[in-house]
Amino acid sequence: MTDTNEAAEARPKARSAVTTREQQWQVYKNIDLMAIPLIVLLFAGIFSFHFALTVGDWDYWVDWRDRRWWPLVTPLSLLVLPAVFGYLLWTKLRLPLAASVALLSFALAAWVSRVMNFEIFAGFPLNMVSPSTFIGLGLILDCTLMLTRSFFVTGLFGAFFFAVLIYPINWPLMAPFRVPVEYNGTLVTVADLMGYEYVRTAIPEYVRIIEQSTLRTFGEAVTPLTAVFAGFLAILMYYFWTWVGALASRAVWIKRIF
Amino acid sequence: MKNANAVTANAELPPAVPWGRIGAFLVALLALFGAYRYYQHVTSFTVGLDYFEPEFQIYWMNLLYAQLAIEAVVFCAVIGYLWMTRDRNVMSITPQEELRRHYVLLGFVVVFAVIAYLAASLYTEADAAWHQVTVRDTDFTPTHIALFYFGIPAFIIIGSAAFVYAHTRLPQFHERVSMPMALLVAGPIMIMPNLGFNEWGHTFFYAEELFAAPVHWGFVLLGWSAFAAGGFLIQIITRLISLSKLEGDTDVAEA
């Protein structure tokens, strides 16, 4: 089993099916017209699946987006596809677009799902389940790659800021739900109140557990500390998943399955 | 099966993409998934809440049995047809015919991607929403029946069909196997045994349906098989570049 293996070299090279430049451009256009929707749909499907099963409920619900676990696990999960397909698109096609396209495709799929599944099907209010925004993070990663042309530097700075900025970039969306209100003599947030009113099968114990540990003694520094820690982990994640992308981009042939 | 000799009508002109057929197939597919989704919407919270109710047996278990039978027939018919009509002179087809077959293969993969989106995003997260409303009851719920016994089998059928098409009709795939394509197709297939583990785990040690729970991570691993799409696209695109090369163009090493 090799990349372009001995079996490939023994094969006759393909003869051309075109004779003019116009025909050649038509073939290229046909490839683009099929490959671009294919890539967007695959990104949307894989990203949703991967994100649902690694972050899932922490991003589905506004009251789950806590200040310690959500800002850590979310960027680490989000980085996987941009890193894997970033290698493919940059090294093979010189396109610094993987993170932006992947996150944009994911955003479209997430909105369709939250409206169709969580609001229309299950009956939750849309402002309780609307997705977070991540497209800006993809732009940061892609711009770093485009400007530096280096996976090393992109990991060091792009991936670091990808994770660090996830909370600030979402803050305008979350702020209205962090307003304190008094509920039966207890201080809660608007998001907490929505969570109490719309009872679900796995809430709110997990969020409460997150709020019980010695890290609470850091007070308001919890989120910045989490963001920087997520940034350091994101650097390692980016390098690891870029390597996986290098493996996945190999055009391997094998002689037989059996 | 058409072979090199059959492609004589206008052999010097490159073929067109069969947009009409691909479009018609996609419209039919979206109509099927849309109708299924509508049925799910109107019956899940009315007659789909309790497996032990007679209504559930009528509206959901009968649907399950019917769709499993239809899927088995469709799988055997499609794979059987592609195998029985395989091209035995695949190494001698014209470049134009090879280009046409690559377009058909890409059409298969576009349909594969549409089903990937529908199954992995829309149908999967319907299950996430469902489980936060209802307590887990049995292995068969309206969202499980739609996802695991309709969406994933459709995914398997189209993936397997694309795999067999490529390996029986394209010279590039003759007498060897594309590892990335095999991984791409194996992922959805292996979801079914992992589903067995998942349901067993839920009946044994993890009753909750928190979506990011470790008992679900097997699905994530199989979802990652789609990363091999990169290697597969490299194999296809480098061949298409060779098939559309003009004299004097720079040679591209075929993957």
Side-chain angles (χ1 to χ4, degrees), chain A residues 8 11 14-19 21 23-24 28 30 34 38 45-46 48-50 53 57 60-61 112-113 116-117 120-121 200-202 206 241 248 251-255, chain B residues 14 17 37 41 45 95-96 103 107 109 117 120-122 125-126 131-132 134 171 174 176-177 179-180 208 211-212 217 219-220 224 226-227 231 235 243-245 249 254-255:
Chain A
R11 284 161 188 267
R15 288 173 294 140
S16 182
V18 302
T19 52
R21 191 64 70 188
Q23 291 175 355
Q24 186 185 49
Y28 291 169
N30 288 339
M34 298 182 95
L38 164 70
I46 308 164
S48 298
F49 195 69
H50 159 86
L53 297 165
D57 292 278
Y60 289 152
W61 316 98
V112 170
S113 174
M116 293 286 293
N117 292 325
I120 295 175
F121 180 58
R200 286 148 291 165
T201 57
Y206 294 101
W241 288 105
V252 179
W253 297 96
I254 54 176
K255 289 281 179 63
Chain B
V17 178
R37 176 55 197 242
H41 182 78
F45 291 102
Q96 287 80 10
Y103 287 155
V109 183
Y117 162 67
S121 180
L122 199 59
E125 292 198 337
H131 279 302
Q132 287 292 335
T134 63
H174 183 58
R176 60 179 182 174
V177 175
M179 190 67 178
E208 289 183 68
F211 238 50
W217 289 351
F219 293 120
V220 184
W224 290 345
F227 294 168
Q235 288 175 330
L243 282 168
S244 55
K245 188 163 64 71
D249 285 352
E254 281 182 28

Coordinates of all heavy atoms in Angstrom, one line a residue, chain A residues 8 11 14-19 21 23-24 28 30 34 38 45-46 48-50 53 57 60-61 112-113 116-117 120-121 200-202 206 241 248 251-255, chain B residues 14 17 37 41 45 95-96 103 107 109 117 120-122 125-126 131-132 134 171 174 176-177 179-180 208 211-212 217 219-220 224 226-227 231 235 243-245 249 254-255:
Chain A
A8 N 0.0 2.1 -10.1 CA -0.3 3.3 -10.8 C 0.7 3.6 -11.9 O 0.4 4.0 -13.0 CB -0.4 4.5 -9.9
R11 N 0.4 1.7 -15.2 CA -0.8 1.9 -16.0 C -0.5 2.9 -17.1 O 0.3 3.8 -16.9 CB -1.9 2.5 -15.1 CG -2.5 1.5 -14.2 CD -3.2 2.0 -13.1 NE -3.7 0.9 -12.3 CZ -4.8 0.3 -12.4 NH1 -5.7 0.8 -13.2 NH2 -5.1 -0.7 -11.6
A14 N -3.6 8.6 -18.9 CA -4.9 8.9 -19.6 C -4.6 9.7 -20.8 O -3.8 10.6 -20.8 CB -5.8 9.7 -18.6
R15 N -5.4 9.3 -21.9 CA -5.3 10.2 -23.1 C -6.3 11.3 -22.9 O -7.3 11.2 -22.1 CB -5.7 9.4 -24.3 CG -4.6 8.4 -24.7 CD -5.1 7.5 -25.8 NE -6.2 6.6 -25.4 CZ -7.2 6.3 -26.1 NH1 -7.4 6.7 -27.3 NH2 -8.2 5.5 -25.6
S16 N -6.1 12.4 -23.5 CA -7.0 13.6 -23.3 C -8.3 13.4 -24.0 O -8.4 12.9 -25.1 CB -6.3 14.9 -23.8 OG -7.2 16.0 -23.5
A17 N -9.4 13.9 -23.4 CA -10.7 13.9 -24.0 C -11.1 15.2 -24.6 O -12.2 15.4 -25.1 CB -11.7 13.5 -22.9
V18 N -10.2 16.2 -24.6 CA -10.5 17.5 -25.2 C -9.5 17.8 -26.2 O -8.4 17.3 -26.2 CB -10.5 18.6 -24.1 CG1 -11.5 18.3 -23.0 CG2 -9.2 18.8 -23.5
T19 N -9.9 18.7 -27.1 CA -9.0 19.2 -28.2 C -8.8 20.7 -28.2 O -7.9 21.2 -28.9 CB -9.5 18.7 -29.6 OG1 -10.9 19.1 -29.7 CG2 -9.4 17.2 -29.7
R21 N -9.1 24.7 -26.1 CA -9.0 25.4 -24.8 C -10.4 25.6 -24.2 O -10.7 25.4 -23.0 CB -8.3 26.7 -25.0 CG -7.9 27.4 -23.7 CD -6.9 26.7 -22.9 NE -5.6 26.7 -23.4 CZ -4.6 26.0 -22.9 NH1 -4.7 25.2 -21.8 NH2 -3.4 26.0 -23.5
Q23 N -13.0 23.6 -24.7 CA -13.5 22.3 -24.1 C -12.8 22.1 -22.7 O -13.5 21.6 -21.8 CB -13.2 21.2 -25.0 CG -14.0 21.2 -26.3 CD -13.6 20.1 -27.3 OE1 -12.6 19.4 -27.1 NE2 -14.3 20.0 -28.4
Q24 N -11.6 22.4 -22.7 CA -10.8 22.2 -21.4 C -11.5 23.1 -20.3 O -11.7 22.6 -19.2 CB -9.4 22.6 -21.6 CG -8.5 22.3 -20.4 CD -7.1 22.8 -20.6 OE1 -6.9 24.0 -21.0 NE2 -6.1 22.0 -20.3
Y28 N -13.2 22.0 -16.7 CA -12.8 22.6 -15.4 C -14.1 23.2 -14.7 O -14.2 23.1 -13.5 CB -11.8 23.7 -15.6 CG -10.4 23.2 -16.0 CD1 -9.4 24.1 -16.4 CD2 -10.1 21.9 -15.9 CE1 -8.2 23.7 -16.8 CE2 -8.8 21.4 -16.3 CZ -7.9 22.4 -16.7 OH -6.6 21.9 -17.1
N30 N -17.2 22.3 -15.1 CA -18.0 21.2 -14.7 C -17.5 20.6 -13.3 O -18.3 20.3 -12.4 CB -18.0 20.1 -15.7 CG -18.9 20.4 -16.9 OD1 -19.7 21.3 -16.8 ND2 -18.6 19.8 -18.0
M34 N -19.6 20.7 -9.6 CA -19.9 19.6 -8.9 C -19.1 19.5 -7.5 O -19.7 19.1 -6.5 CB -19.6 18.3 -9.7 CG -20.5 18.2 -10.9 SD -20.2 16.7 -11.9 CE -21.6 15.7 -11.3
L38 N -20.5 19.9 -3.4 CA -20.1 18.6 -2.7 C -19.4 18.9 -1.5 O -19.7 18.4 -0.4 CB -19.3 17.8 -3.7 CG -18.5 16.6 -3.2 CD1 -19.4 15.5 -2.8 CD2 -17.5 16.1 -4.3
G45 N -22.5 18.5 6.8 CA -22.9 17.2 7.4 C -21.9 16.7 8.4 O -22.3 16.4 9.6
I46 N -20.6 16.7 8.0 CA -19.6 16.1 8.9 C -19.5 17.0 10.1 O -19.4 16.6 11.3 CB -18.2 16.0 8.3 CG1 -18.3 15.3 7.0 CG2 -17.3 15.3 9.2 CD1 -17.0 15.5 6.1
S48 N -21.6 19.2 11.5 CA -22.8 19.1 12.4 C -22.7 17.8 13.3 O -22.9 17.9 14.5 CB -24.1 19.0 11.6 OG -24.2 20.2 10.9
F49 N -22.4 16.7 12.6 CA -22.3 15.4 13.3 C -21.2 15.4 14.4 O -21.4 15.0 15.5 CB -22.0 14.3 12.2 CG -22.3 12.9 12.7 CD1 -23.6 12.5 12.9 CD2 -21.2 12.0 12.8 CE1 -23.8 11.2 13.3 CE2 -21.5 10.7 13.2 CZ -22.8 10.3 13.4
H50 N -20.0 15.9 14.0 CA -18.9 15.9 14.9 C -19.2 16.8 16.0 O -18.9 16.5 17.2 CB -17.7 16.4 14.0 CG -16.5 16.9 14.8 ND1 -15.6 16.2 15.4 CD2 -16.2 18.2 15.2 CE1 -14.7 16.9 16.0 NE2 -15.1 18.2 15.9
L53 N -21.8 15.6 18.6 CA -21.5 14.5 19.5 C -20.2 14.8 20.4 O -19.8 14.0 21.1 CB -21.3 13.2 18.7 CG -22.5 12.8 18.0 CD1 -22.3 11.8 16.9 CD2 -23.5 12.2 19.0
D57 N -25.0 19.5 23.6 CA -25.9 20.3 24.4 C -25.3 21.5 25.0 O -26.0 22.5 25.3 CB -26.5 19.4 25.5 CG -27.4 18.3 25.0 OD1 -28.6 18.6 24.8 OD2 -26.9 17.2 24.8
Y60 N -26.3 23.8 22.3 CA -27.7 23.8 21.8 C -28.5 24.9 22.6 O -29.4 25.5 22.1 CB -28.4 22.5 22.0 CG -27.9 21.4 21.1 CD1 -28.0 20.0 21.5 CD2 -27.4 21.7 19.8 CE1 -27.6 19.0 20.6 CE2 -27.0 20.6 19.0 CZ -27.1 19.3 19.4 OH -26.7 18.3 18.6
W61 N -28.2 25.0 23.9 CA -29.0 25.8 24.8 C -28.3 27.0 25.3 O -27.2 26.9 25.8 CB -29.5 24.9 25.9 CG -29.9 23.5 25.5 CD1 -29.1 22.4 25.5 CD2 -31.1 23.1 25.0 NE1 -29.8 21.3 25.0 CE2 -31.1 21.7 24.7 CE3 -32.3 23.8 24.7 CZ2 -32.1 21.0 24.1 CZ3 -33.4 23.1 24.1 CH2 -33.3 21.7 23.8
V112 N -30.5 25.8 10.2 CA -31.6 25.0 9.6 C -32.0 24.0 10.7 O -33.2 23.8 11.0 CB -31.1 24.3 8.4 CG1 -32.2 23.2 8.0 CG2 -30.9 25.2 7.2
S113 N -31.1 23.4 11.4 CA -31.4 22.4 12.4 C -32.1 23.0 13.6 O -33.1 22.5 14.1 CB -30.1 21.7 12.8 OG -30.4 20.8 13.9
M116 N -35.6 24.0 12.4 CA -36.5 22.8 12.0 C -36.7 21.8 13.2 O -37.8 21.3 13.4 CB -35.8 22.0 10.9 CG -35.8 22.8 9.6 SD -37.4 22.8 8.8 CE -37.6 21.1 8.4
N117 N -35.6 21.6 13.9 CA -35.6 20.5 15.0 C -36.0 21.0 16.3 O -36.9 20.5 17.0 CB -34.3 19.8 15.1 CG -34.0 19.0 13.8 OD1 -34.9 18.4 13.2 ND2 -32.7 18.9 13.5
I120 N -39.4 24.2 15.6 CA -40.6 23.7 14.9 C -41.0 22.3 15.4 O -42.1 22.0 15.8 CB -40.5 23.7 13.4 CG1 -40.3 25.1 12.9 CG2 -41.7 23.0 12.7 CD1 -40.0 25.3 11.4
F121 N -40.0 21.4 15.5 CA -40.3 20.0 15.9 C -40.5 19.8 17.4 O -41.5 19.3 17.8 CB -39.1 19.1 15.4 CG -39.3 17.6 15.7 CD1 -40.4 16.9 15.3 CD2 -38.3 17.0 16.4 CE1 -40.5 15.6 15.5 CE2 -38.4 15.6 16.7 CZ -39.5 14.9 16.3
R200 N -36.1 20.2 30.5 CA -35.5 19.2 29.6 C -35.0 18.0 30.4 O -34.9 18.1 31.6 CB -34.3 19.8 28.8 CG -34.8 20.7 27.7 CD -33.8 21.9 27.5 NE -33.7 22.8 28.7 CZ -32.8 23.6 28.9 NH1 -31.8 23.7 28.1 NH2 -32.8 24.4 30.0
T201 N -34.6 16.9 29.7 CA -34.3 15.7 30.5 C -32.9 15.7 31.0 O -32.5 14.9 31.8 CB -34.4 14.5 29.5 OG1 -33.6 14.7 28.4 CG2 -35.8 14.3 29.1
A202 N -32.0 16.6 30.6 CA -30.6 16.6 31.1 C -30.2 18.0 31.5 O -29.2 18.5 31.0 CB -29.7 16.0 30.1
Y206 N -25.7 19.5 34.9 CA -24.3 19.5 34.4 C -23.7 20.9 34.6 O -22.5 21.1 34.9 CB -24.3 19.1 32.9 CG -24.6 17.7 32.7 CD1 -25.9 17.3 32.3 CD2 -23.7 16.7 33.0 CE1 -26.3 16.0 32.2 CE2 -24.1 15.4 32.8 CZ -25.3 15.0 32.4 OH -25.7 13.7 32.3
W241 N -4.3 17.9 14.2 CA -5.3 17.6 13.2 C -4.8 18.0 11.8 O -5.3 17.5 10.8 CB -6.6 18.3 13.6 CG -7.3 17.7 14.7 CD1 -7.4 18.1 16.0 CD2 -8.0 16.4 14.7 NE1 -8.1 17.1 16.8 CE2 -8.4 16.1 16.0 CE3 -8.2 15.4 13.7 CZ2 -9.1 14.9 16.3 CZ3 -8.9 14.3 14.0 CH2 -9.3 14.0 15.3
A248 N -5.0 12.1 5.7 CA -6.3 11.9 5.0 C -6.2 12.3 3.5 O -7.1 11.9 2.7 CB -7.4 12.6 5.7
A251 N -3.5 9.9 -1.5 CA -4.3 9.1 -2.5 C -3.8 7.7 -2.5 O -3.0 7.3 -3.4 CB -4.1 9.8 -3.8
V252 N -4.2 6.9 -1.5 CA -3.7 5.6 -1.4 C -4.5 4.6 -2.2 O -5.7 4.6 -2.1 CB -3.7 5.2 0.1 CG1 -3.2 3.8 0.3 CG2 -2.9 6.2 0.9
W253 N -3.8 3.7 -2.8 CA -4.4 2.5 -3.6 C -4.0 1.3 -2.9 O -2.8 1.1 -2.5 CB -4.0 2.5 -5.0 CG -4.5 3.7 -5.8 CD1 -3.7 4.8 -6.1 CD2 -5.7 4.0 -6.4 NE1 -4.4 5.7 -6.8 CE2 -5.7 5.2 -7.0 CE3 -6.9 3.2 -6.5 CZ2 -6.8 5.8 -7.7 CZ3 -8.0 3.8 -7.2 CH2 -7.9 5.0 -7.8
I254 N -4.9 0.3 -2.8 CA -4.4 -1.0 -2.4 C -4.8 -2.0 -3.5 O -5.8 -1.8 -4.3 CB -5.0 -1.5 -1.1 CG1 -6.6 -1.3 -1.0 CG2 -4.4 -0.6 0.1 CD1 -7.2 -1.8 0.2
K255 N -4.1 -3.1 -3.6 CA -4.3 -4.1 -4.7 C -5.7 -4.8 -4.5 O -6.4 -4.9 -5.4 CB -3.2 -5.1 -4.7 CG -1.9 -4.6 -5.2 CD -1.8 -4.5 -6.7 CE -0.5 -3.9 -7.2 NZ 0.6 -4.7 -6.9
Chain B
P14 N -16.1 16.3 -26.1 CA -16.2 15.8 -24.7 C -17.6 15.7 -24.2 O -18.5 16.5 -24.7 CB -15.4 16.9 -23.9 CG -15.3 18.1 -24.8 CD -15.4 17.6 -26.2
V17 N -22.1 17.0 -18.6 CA -22.5 16.4 -17.3 C -24.0 16.1 -17.4 O -24.8 16.9 -17.9 CB -22.3 17.4 -16.1 CG1 -22.8 16.9 -14.8 CG2 -20.8 17.8 -16.1
R37 N -39.9 13.5 6.7 CA -39.8 14.5 7.8 C -41.1 15.0 8.2 O -41.4 15.2 9.4 CB -38.8 15.6 7.4 CG -38.7 16.8 8.4 CD -38.2 16.2 9.7 NE -38.5 17.2 10.7 CZ -37.5 17.7 11.5 NH1 -36.3 17.3 11.3 NH2 -37.8 18.6 12.4
H41 N -42.9 14.7 11.8 CA -43.4 15.9 12.5 C -44.8 15.7 13.0 O -45.1 16.1 14.2 CB -43.3 17.1 11.6 CG -43.7 18.4 12.3 ND1 -42.9 19.1 13.2 CD2 -44.9 19.1 12.3 CE1 -43.5 20.1 13.6 NE2 -44.7 20.2 13.1
F45 N -45.1 13.2 18.3 CA -45.6 13.6 19.6 C -47.1 13.2 19.8 O -47.6 13.6 20.8 CB -45.4 15.1 19.8 CG -43.9 15.4 20.0 CD1 -43.2 16.0 19.0 CD2 -43.2 15.1 21.2 CE1 -41.8 16.3 19.1 CE2 -41.9 15.4 21.3 CZ -41.2 16.0 20.3
P95 N -11.2 8.2 -24.0 CA -11.1 9.2 -23.0 C -12.4 9.9 -22.8 O -12.7 10.3 -21.6 CB -10.1 10.1 -23.5 CG -9.4 9.5 -24.7 CD -10.3 8.3 -25.1
Q96 N -13.2 10.1 -23.9 CA -14.5 10.8 -23.7 C -15.4 10.0 -22.8 O -16.1 10.6 -22.0 CB -15.1 11.0 -25.1 CG -14.5 12.1 -25.9 CD -13.2 11.7 -26.6 OE1 -12.9 10.5 -26.6 NE2 -12.5 12.6 -27.2
Y103 N -18.0 12.0 -14.6 CA -19.1 12.9 -14.2 C -20.2 12.1 -13.5 O -20.8 12.6 -12.5 CB -19.7 13.5 -15.5 CG -18.8 14.6 -16.2 CD1 -18.9 14.8 -17.5 CD2 -17.9 15.3 -15.4 CE1 -18.2 15.8 -18.1 CE2 -17.1 16.3 -16.0 CZ -17.3 16.5 -17.4 OH -16.5 17.5 -18.0
G107 N -21.5 12.7 -9.8 CA -23.0 12.8 -9.5 C -23.4 11.9 -8.3 O -24.1 12.4 -7.4
V109 N -21.4 11.0 -6.0 CA -20.8 11.6 -4.7 C -21.6 12.8 -4.3 O -21.7 13.1 -3.1 CB -19.3 11.9 -4.9 CG1 -18.7 12.4 -3.6 CG2 -18.6 10.6 -5.4
Y117 N -25.5 15.3 4.5 CA -26.0 16.5 5.2 C -27.4 16.1 5.9 O -27.6 16.4 7.1 CB -26.2 17.6 4.2 CG -27.1 18.7 4.8 CD1 -26.7 19.4 5.9 CD2 -28.3 18.9 4.3 CE1 -27.6 20.3 6.5 CE2 -29.2 19.8 4.8 CZ -28.8 20.5 6.0 OH -29.7 21.4 6.5
A120 N -26.7 13.4 8.7 CA -25.8 13.7 9.8 C -26.1 15.0 10.5 O -25.7 15.2 11.6 CB -24.4 13.8 9.2
S121 N -26.9 15.9 9.8 CA -27.3 17.1 10.5 C -28.7 17.2 10.9 O -29.1 17.1 12.0 CB -26.9 18.3 9.6 OG -27.2 19.5 10.2
L122 N -29.6 17.2 9.9 CA -31.0 17.4 10.1 C -31.6 16.3 10.9 O -32.3 16.5 11.9 CB -31.8 17.6 8.8 CG -33.1 18.3 8.9 CD1 -33.0 19.7 9.5 CD2 -33.7 18.4 7.5
E125 N -29.8 15.7 14.5 CA -30.2 16.7 15.6 C -31.7 16.7 15.9 O -32.0 17.2 17.0 CB -29.7 18.1 15.2 CG -28.1 18.1 15.2 CD -27.5 19.5 15.3 OE1 -28.2 20.5 14.9 OE2 -26.4 19.6 15.7
A126 N -32.5 16.1 15.1 CA -33.9 15.9 15.5 C -33.9 15.0 16.6 O -34.7 15.1 17.6 CB -34.7 15.3 14.3
H131 N -34.7 13.8 22.4 CA -34.3 13.3 23.7 C -34.3 14.3 24.8 O -34.3 13.9 26.0 CB -32.9 12.6 23.5 CG -32.9 11.3 22.9 ND1 -33.6 10.2 23.5 CD2 -32.3 10.8 21.8 CE1 -33.5 9.2 22.7 NE2 -32.7 9.4 21.7
Q132 N -34.3 15.6 24.5 CA -34.3 16.6 25.5 C -35.8 16.8 25.9 O -36.0 17.5 26.9 CB -33.6 17.8 25.1 CG -32.1 17.7 25.1 CD -31.5 17.5 26.5 OE1 -32.1 17.9 27.5 NE2 -30.4 16.8 26.6
T134 N -38.3 14.1 25.6 CA -38.8 12.9 26.1 C -37.7 12.1 26.9 O -36.6 12.2 26.5 CB -39.3 12.0 25.0 OG1 -38.1 11.6 24.2 CG2 -40.3 12.6 24.1
P171 N -11.2 3.0 -15.5 CA -9.9 2.4 -15.7 C -9.0 2.6 -14.5 O -8.2 1.8 -14.0 CB -9.3 3.0 -16.9 CG -10.4 3.5 -17.7 CD -11.5 3.8 -16.7
H174 N -9.4 0.1 -11.9 CA -9.5 -1.3 -12.3 C -8.4 -2.1 -11.5 O -7.3 -1.8 -11.5 CB -9.2 -1.3 -13.8 CG -9.3 -2.7 -14.4 ND1 -10.4 -3.5 -14.3 CD2 -8.3 -3.5 -15.1 CE1 -10.2 -4.7 -14.9 NE2 -8.9 -4.7 -15.4
R176 N -7.7 -2.6 -8.6 CA -7.2 -2.1 -7.3 C -8.3 -1.3 -6.6 O -9.3 -1.1 -7.2 CB -6.0 -1.2 -7.6 CG -6.2 0.0 -8.4 CD -5.0 0.9 -8.6 NE -5.3 2.0 -9.4 CZ -4.4 3.0 -9.7 NH1 -3.2 2.9 -9.1 NH2 -4.8 4.0 -10.4
V177 N -8.0 -1.0 -5.4 CA -9.1 -0.4 -4.6 C -8.6 1.0 -4.0 O -7.5 1.1 -3.5 CB -9.5 -1.3 -3.4 CG1 -10.5 -0.6 -2.4 CG2 -10.0 -2.6 -3.9
M179 N -8.3 3.4 -1.4 CA -8.4 3.3 0.1 C -9.3 4.4 0.7 O -10.1 4.2 1.5 CB -7.0 3.4 0.7 CG -6.9 3.1 2.1 SD -7.3 1.4 2.5 CE -7.1 1.3 4.2
P180 N -9.1 5.7 0.2 CA -9.9 6.8 0.7 C -11.4 6.5 0.4 O -12.2 6.8 1.3 CB -9.4 8.0 0.0 CG -8.2 7.7 -0.7 CD -8.0 6.2 -0.7
E208 N -28.9 8.2 30.3 CA -29.2 9.5 29.8 C -28.9 9.7 28.3 O -28.2 8.8 27.7 CB -28.5 10.5 30.6 CG -29.1 10.7 32.0 CD -28.4 11.8 32.8 OE1 -28.5 12.9 32.4 OE2 -27.6 11.4 33.7
F211 N -25.9 14.5 24.5 CA -25.4 14.1 23.2 C -23.9 13.9 23.1 O -23.4 13.2 22.3 CB -25.9 15.1 22.1 CG -26.7 14.5 21.0 CD1 -27.7 13.6 21.3 CD2 -26.4 14.7 19.7 CE1 -28.4 13.0 20.3 CE2 -27.1 14.1 18.7 CZ -28.1 13.2 19.0
A212 N -23.2 14.7 23.9 CA -21.7 14.6 23.9 C -21.2 13.5 24.8 O -20.0 13.5 25.1 CB -21.1 16.0 24.3
W217 N -19.3 8.5 21.3 CA -18.1 8.9 20.6 C -17.7 7.9 19.5 O -16.9 8.3 18.6 CB -16.9 9.1 21.6 CG -17.1 10.3 22.5 CD1 -18.0 11.3 22.3 CD2 -16.3 10.7 23.6 NE1 -17.9 12.2 23.3 CE2 -16.9 11.9 24.1 CE3 -15.2 10.1 24.3 CZ2 -16.4 12.6 25.2 CZ3 -14.7 10.8 25.4 CH2 -15.3 12.0 25.8
F219 N -19.6 7.0 17.2 CA -20.2 7.7 16.0 C -19.3 8.8 15.5 O -19.2 8.9 14.3 CB -21.6 8.3 16.4 CG -22.7 7.2 16.7 CD1 -23.3 7.3 17.9 CD2 -23.0 6.3 15.8 CE1 -24.3 6.3 18.2 CE2 -24.0 5.4 16.1 CZ -24.6 5.4 17.3
V220 N -18.7 9.5 16.4 CA -17.8 10.6 16.0 C -16.6 10.0 15.2 O -16.3 10.5 14.1 CB -17.2 11.3 17.2 CG1 -16.4 12.5 16.8 CG2 -18.4 11.8 18.1
W224 N -15.6 10.7 11.3 CA -14.3 11.2 10.8 C -13.8 10.4 9.6 O -12.8 10.8 8.9 CB -13.2 11.0 11.9 CG -13.4 12.0 13.0 CD1 -14.2 13.1 13.0 CD2 -12.8 11.9 14.3 NE1 -14.1 13.8 14.3 CE2 -13.3 13.1 15.1 CE3 -11.9 11.1 15.0 CZ2 -12.9 13.3 16.4 CZ3 -11.5 11.3 16.3 CH2 -12.0 12.4 17.0
A226 N -15.1 10.4 7.0 CA -15.3 11.4 5.9 C -14.1 12.2 5.6 O -14.1 12.9 4.5 CB -16.6 12.2 6.2
F227 N -13.2 12.3 6.5 CA -11.9 13.0 6.2 C -11.2 12.5 5.0 O -10.5 13.2 4.3 CB -11.0 13.0 7.4 CG -11.5 13.7 8.6 CD1 -10.9 13.6 9.9 CD2 -12.6 14.5 8.5 CE1 -11.3 14.2 11.0 CE2 -13.1 15.2 9.7 CZ -12.5 15.0 10.9
G231 N -8.5 12.6 0.1 CA -7.7 11.7 -0.7 C -8.4 11.2 -1.9 O -7.9 11.1 -3.0
Q235 N -7.6 11.8 -6.0 CA -7.5 10.8 -7.0 C -8.4 11.1 -8.2 O -8.0 10.9 -9.3 CB -8.0 9.4 -6.4 CG -7.1 8.8 -5.4 CD -7.6 7.6 -4.7 OE1 -8.8 7.5 -4.5 NE2 -6.7 6.7 -4.3
L243 N -7.3 13.9 -18.1 CA -8.3 13.7 -19.2 C -8.6 15.0 -20.0 O -9.3 14.9 -21.0 CB -9.6 13.1 -18.6 CG -9.5 11.6 -18.3 CD1 -10.7 11.2 -17.4 CD2 -9.5 10.8 -19.5
S244 N -8.3 16.1 -19.4 CA -8.6 17.4 -20.1 C -7.3 18.2 -20.4 O -7.3 19.4 -20.5 CB -9.5 18.2 -19.2 OG -8.9 18.4 -17.9
K245 N -6.2 17.4 -20.6 CA -4.9 18.1 -20.9 C -4.8 18.4 -22.4 O -5.2 17.6 -23.2 CB -3.8 17.2 -20.4 CG -2.4 17.8 -20.4 CD -1.5 16.9 -19.6 CE -1.3 15.5 -20.2 NZ -0.5 15.4 -21.4
D249 N 0.5 21.5 -22.3 CA 0.2 21.7 -20.8 C 1.1 21.0 -19.9 O 1.7 19.9 -20.3 CB -1.3 21.3 -20.5 CG -2.3 22.2 -21.0 OD1 -1.9 23.3 -21.6 OD2 -3.5 21.8 -21.0
E254 N -0.6 11.8 -11.8 CA -1.9 11.2 -11.4 C -1.7 10.5 -10.0 O -0.8 9.8 -9.8 CB -2.4 10.2 -12.4 CG -3.0 10.9 -13.6 CD -3.5 9.9 -14.6 OE1 -3.9 8.7 -14.2 OE2 -3.6 10.2 -15.8
A255 N -2.7 10.8 -9.2 CA -2.6 10.2 -7.8 C -3.1 8.8 -7.8 O -4.0 8.4 -8.6 CB -3.4 11.0 -6.8

